[in-house]
Amino acid sequence: MGVVHRIGAERQAPVLKDAVEGFLAGVSNPNTARSYATALRALVERFGPSRPVTALEGEVAADRVAAWFIERWGARSAATVNARLNALASAVGWWRDQGWITEDPLRRLKRCPVEPDRTRSLDRGEVAELLGREGIALRERTLWRLLYESAARASEVLGLDVEELDLRNRRARVRRKGGAVDVIVWRTGTARLLPRLLGGRRAGPVFTTDRRARVELPPGDIDAGSGKARLSYRRAAELFEAATGGWTLHQLRHSALTHAAEDGANTSTLLAFSGHTSVASLARYARVSGEALARWQARRDPAARKR
């Protein structure tokens, strides 16, 4: 978020649609704004765009918000539930800063606990098989390889525009989680695929939909030449999960960082590779995979050394 400008209490609170759009306008990271918009525009759809934002206050309203949220997302994964709740909480906090509301309409809701998963890293053989698999469309083949070779978040890569690519030097500027501008780099596999995917395009989203956009979108999310829209995270995730039997796009990032740690990358390199600013954030990625643990154990096996 940018600088918060408090609006005087004497001003009438806006309708819900305007309150949502006002909040989203201040979110500087476009990927975060798109993610937040999913939950917030669903809220507008449920409670009505013309209702004042103050309609969310009171015990009855809190009950209704909780019932709607649980019905809408209660059956989804803990990560999705928490992401939607974070979006709503960020907006509510901003509205309270403006003096438009004084209560928390989310007070009936709690974040879902996320159990630690120590098996999210894929074996190198699994990654190699996936990236070399026949019959995969060029767009998906390029996206998956770029995600693994760069260890970038899927939202960062899907947010790339052609102008941000430095094909000669195999790098690109991305906006990291939190809004910081950073650089990602890739290897030969991606370097060979990207020019084929772009087909000479010099502007617009790197990864686009198969067909022209059917709804009005911001100009930055449309390729002017073809009219195709930026590929959404949701669609990219659906295609990946369908092709892999349930793997997630994040597993490519997780695997890349785990494999780099196994190969001896130092902490500074891993921080740059991941885009993290905290060493603590690397802990879950630095855990060696079962494959690497088996190789280590095999090298220490006395019986193996006698052969």
Side-chain angles (χ1 to χ4, degrees):
M1 291 293 299
V3 177
V4 172
H5 299 285
R6 186 180 179 88
I7 296 176
E10 69 277 4
R11 290 190 57 180
Q12 183 178 1
V15 297
L16 189 55
K17 178 179 181 298
D18 291 343
V20 165
E21 296 304 325
F23 167 74
L24 291 175
V27 180
S28 58
N29 187 322
N31 295 323
T32 302
R34 278 192 290 270
S35 176
Y36 281 3
T38 299
L40 290 166
R41 287 173 181 157
L43 181 74
V44 171
E45 179 183 352
R46 170 61 181 82
F47 290 92
S50 300
R51 298 187 70 182
V53 68
T54 51
L56 297 179
E57 294 190 291
E59 296 301 316
V60 173
D63 289 339
R64 289 175 176 171
V65 169
W68 159 76
F69 186 93
I70 292 169
E71 179 183 3
R72 182 78 182 240
W73 289 296
R76 303 292 290 275
S77 69
T80 297
V81 169
N82 292 340
R84 300 294 178 258
L85 191 55
N86 287 344
L88 294 170
S90 294
V92 166
W94 189 77
W95 297 338
R96 293 174 76 177
D97 286 340
Q98 306 310 305
W100 295 340
I101 59 175
T102 59
E103 300 178 6
D104 180 8
L106 307 174
R107 56 186 176 275
R108 304 279 194 271
L109 296 166
K110 301 294 183 184
R111 288 175 55 85
C112 290
V114 179
E115 296 298 328
D117 184 354
R118 296 178 177 174
T119 63
R120 297 175 74 181
S121 175
L122 305 173
D123 288 348
R124 294 170 194 257
E126 292 176 316
V127 174
E129 186 280 328
L130 172 66
L131 299 183
R133 188 180 299 177
E134 297 294 331
I136 303 298
L138 176 60
R139 182 186 65 191
E140 277 60 61
R141 185 182 299 279
T142 308
L143 174 62
W144 301 349
R145 185 170 286 277
L146 177 54
L147 288 174
Y148 178 70
E149 290 188 358
S150 70
R153 298 175 179 86
S155 59
E156 295 165 354
V157 169
L158 291 170
L160 279 172
D161 292 325
V162 178
E163 306 96 303
E164 295 169 320
L165 302 179
D166 181 353
L167 296 178
R168 179 184 297 275
N169 294 304
R170 301 182 181 182
R171 64 184 62 184
R173 289 181 294 107
V174 297
R175 193 168 293 277
R176 295 288 195 184
K177 187 176 181 179
V181 176
D182 202 354
V183 172
I184 61 171
V185 297
W186 52 84
R187 302 198 296 261
T188 301
T190 299
R192 289 173 175 169
L193 291 170
L194 273 173
R196 293 173 53 197
L197 176 71
L198 298 177
R201 290 193 295 119
R202 297 181 179 274
V206 174
F207 296 97
T208 60
T209 52
D210 295 321
R211 298 184 178 87
R212 293 177 62 89
R214 298 180 180 179
V215 297
E216 186 176 351
L217 294 170
D221 286 333
I222 296 288
D223 172 46
S226 66
K228 296 178 179 179
R230 187 183 305 277
L231 181 65
S232 70
Y233 178 90
R234 180 176 179 178
R235 180 57 178 157
E238 288 175 348
L239 291 170
F240 186 72
E241 291 175 14
T244 60
W247 293 350
T248 65
L249 288 172
H250 182 74
Q251 285 181 276
L252 291 174
R253 168 176 164 82
H254 190 110
S255 303
L257 293 170
T258 297
H259 297 163
E262 292 170 354
D263 290 340
N266 60 35
T267 300
S268 297
T269 300
L270 288 173
L271 285 171
F273 196 31
S274 67
H276 285 127
T277 57
S278 168
V279 174
S281 301
L282 289 173
R284 58 177 172 160
Y285 300 110
R287 178 178 293 275
V288 299
S289 65
E291 177 189 39
L293 188 61
R295 289 198 303 268
W296 175 79
Q297 192 70 296
R299 289 195 299 269
R300 299 174 65 248
D301 190 338
R305 290 199 295 267
K306 292 178 181 178
R307 294 172 189 165

